[in-house]
Amino acid sequence: MTTRNHCLERDAQDPLAPLRAQFDLPAGVIYLDGNSLGARPKAALARAQQVIAQEWGHDLIRSWNTAGWFELPRRLGNLLAPLIGGVDGEVVVTDTTSVNLFKALAAALHMQAAAERRVIVTERANFPTDIYMAQGLTGWLDRGYSLRLIDSPDQLPAAIGADVALVMLTHVNYRTGYQYDMKATSALAHAAGALIVWDLAHSAGAVPVDLSADGADLAVGCTYKYLNGGPGAPAFIWVPKRHQAQFRQPLSGWWGHAAPFAMAPDFQPADGIARALCGTQPIVSLAMVECGLDVHRQTSMAAIRAKSLALTDLFIDLVEARCADHPLGLVTPRDHARRGSQVSFTHPHGYAVMQALIGRGVIGDYREPAIMRFGFTPLYTSYADVWDAVEILRDILDRKDYNVDAKRDAVT
Ligand SMILES: *Cc1c(COP(=O)(O)O)cnc(C)c1O
């Protein structure tokens, strides 16, 4: 039987434990929602003050050059690249995940334009914006493109036929925490002549990713989740060197121009990854992304993964042992290879139970239908946190201390 003391011993031996001190987490909170909004690196406050007071306030327009604002999307992309198996010049931090996905899908369809392929394969359970962006793009193109939605990963081989232009998948599912085998799935797409676009929103900074080794064609992802970049922080897009010359995206703004300050009347895409850019970025928000990446630079994805699996295993074991009398259903794969860095359980009153947890300082979130989501961020979550969270959950369930009529907030 695991005890709280065992958890404290594991914390004492945890090589990542010291990194928690680099985050500002309020007292009395067990934060299990880093998969939705990462916690704040302490350094972000001083960095924001520097950007606002010094770079903007004092140095004014000169900061585009003197503070490196203009280079920032590329410089941050180079810092992020090693976390996802990219190299210098393959990643930019810019725009939103939704917008980057639009660019990636449009570019991938363009690369396939010569082929008579008109189908995009994705899954019904994908994060809605991914499906919506594909619907928006294909509807707008009006060239006979359609979406083919699979209902489970095992339907993928049958769905990827000779009519498929591209496969668009989210590597780790936001609701279930299911993780695709990137290498095998990319190979499946390629064997059928399709390209594959990966969304790494729940992977970047959470699980090891090697886009190059695993044969991905294009990828996008989020910096405000496991990368702790701050609310609404700009996202990223990865275009490998081998595809950059053919990468043409329709949001041909001046930041993607070969010579933005030549002010020429014709669009000429920049060489390299800069062609994935569009326009002026929210520099204050963009600058915060570096503070999250700085914490990641002090460890490795292997260390993060080892602790993530230990935390999620512990959570699953404790919930199943200590809340055994309650109707909780594990949705997340037990198989390590198929698990991201979150654990989801269903409960018939999932929303009400989650509200009760939040009321007692255990912050997770809720996703339809009936799913309670718990994200585990090894940079700042301890084994004792896991113990305490499960004890609070057990207490709430045992005493039925939740309000089934709880009013739904706009963001669940
Ligand atoms: C979080 C998430 C997004 C977010 O997209 P935004 O454009 O930042 O709102 C997109 N896709 C997936 C799979 C996500 O998990």
Side-chain angles (χ1 to χ4, degrees):
M1 261 296 281
T2 305
T3 64
R4 189 170 197 277
N5 273 337
H6 292 143
C7 295
L8 290 172
E9 279 162 28
R10 293 178 80 173
D11 285 328
Q13 287 157 13
D14 170 16
L16 296 186
L19 295 179
R20 182 185 176 103
Q22 297 188 28
F23 290 91
D24 187 57
L25 285 161
V29 163
I30 298 173
Y31 193 59
L32 302 180
D33 217 353
N35 53 323
S36 206
L37 174 64
R40 176 172 76 80
K42 284 183 182 159
L45 194 58
R47 181 78 184 106
Q49 237 142 15
Q50 182 191 13
V51 175
I52 293 169
Q54 179 66 36
E55 297 177 6
W56 177 20
H58 184 270
D59 299 341
L60 291 160
I61 189 88
R62 292 169 287 190
S63 285
W64 285 108
N65 294 311
T66 57
W69 286 354
F70 190 65
E71 288 302 318
L72 201 52
R74 273 161 284 186
R75 194 167 68 75
L76 294 175
N78 290 342
L79 294 177
L80 197 155
L83 297 178
I84 56 172
V87 297
D88 274 10
E90 290 187 336
V91 180
V92 277
V93 177
T94 188
D95 298 335
T96 66
T97 303
S98 303
V99 169
N100 286 331
L101 193 60
F102 182 86
K103 300 176 206 167
L105 295 178
L109 289 183
H110 185 78
M111 288 181 215
Q112 290 278 43
E116 280 303 307
R117 294 168 174 268
R118 289 290 178 271
V119 174
I120 298 176
V121 170
T122 189
E123 56 181 347
R124 206 176 305 278
N126 202 342
F127 190 86
T129 203
D130 295 43
I131 301 176
Y132 301 161
M133 294 310 290
Q135 287 170 339
L137 174 65
T138 55
W140 182 83
L141 280 172
D142 197 19
R143 293 257 198 84
Y145 286 106
S146 66
L147 258 60
R148 181 173 297 153
L149 301 179
I150 58 161
D151 286 303
S152 76
D154 57 13
Q155 294 178 356
L156 214 45
I160 310 178
D163 55 350
V164 173
L166 65 113
V167 178
M168 167 188 84
L169 291 170
T170 297
H171 182 224
V172 173
N173 186 273
Y174 76 105
R175 200 158 27 192
T176 62
Y178 175 90
Q179 181 178 167
Y180 272 98
D181 179 336
M182 183 180 282
K183 195 180 192 102
T185 311
S186 300
L188 195 68
H190 291 159
L195 295 172
I196 188 153
V197 178
W198 288 101
D199 187 331
L200 304 178
H202 288 269
S203 310
V207 300
V209 175
D210 198 340
L211 290 164
S212 295
D214 290 351
D217 289 301
L218 298 170
V220 302
C222 191
T223 66
Y224 55 73
K225 293 171 181 166
Y226 291 97
L227 292 175
N228 309 303
F236 64 87
I237 179 166
W238 172 79
V239 183
K241 294 253 161 81
R242 73 178 196 281
H243 283 325
Q244 286 181 353
Q246 305 91 274
F247 182 89
R248 280 192 47 204
Q249 56 99 356
L251 303 182
S252 45
W254 69 315
W255 277 48
H257 194 282
F261 284 90
M263 301 295 176
D266 295 315
F267 183 76
Q268 228 4 282
D271 284 339
I273 190 65
R275 60 177 54 194
L277 297 172
C278 180
T280 308
Q281 292 302 298
I283 294 295
V284 181
S285 183
L286 187 61
M288 299 301 100
V289 173
E290 187 163 6
C291 302
L293 293 174
D294 277 345
V295 184
H296 271 276
R297 275 202 286 184
Q298 300 165 49
T299 178
S300 67
M301 282 315 303
I304 287 174
R305 179 60 169 167
K307 185 176 172 189
S308 161
L309 288 172
L311 292 170
T312 51
D313 275 345
L314 177 66
F315 185 74
I316 293 169
D317 291 348
L318 288 175
V319 169
E320 291 188 336
R322 303 182 71 79
C323 308
D325 301 338
H326 299 286
L328 291 165
L330 179 66
V331 177
T332 301
R334 286 179 204 277
D335 178 3
H336 283 178
R338 297 284 70 80
R339 189 192 304 162
S341 197
Q342 74 182 62
V343 177
S344 300
F345 278 102
T346 54
H347 184 282
H349 298 298
Y351 183 75
V353 174
M354 183 51 75
Q355 289 307 302
L357 280 166
I358 294 169
R360 292 188 48 185
V362 179
I363 303 182
D365 62 20
Y366 173 83
R367 290 292 179 267
E368 292 293 346
I371 289 181
M372 296 191 288
R373 255 190 348 173
F374 302 91
F376 294 86
T377 308
L379 298 177
Y380 51 76
T381 303
S382 70
Y383 294 92
D385 285 339
V386 174
W387 176 274
D388 294 339
V390 175
E391 281 311 281
I392 292 170
L393 174 63
R394 184 180 61 79
D395 186 61
I396 288 168
L397 294 174
D398 284 353
R399 298 197 295 112
K400 292 208 174 353
D401 189 16
Y402 49 85
N403 173 14
V404 294
D405 300 320
K407 195 180 146 299
R408 295 282 167 105
D409 289 325
V411 176
T412 62

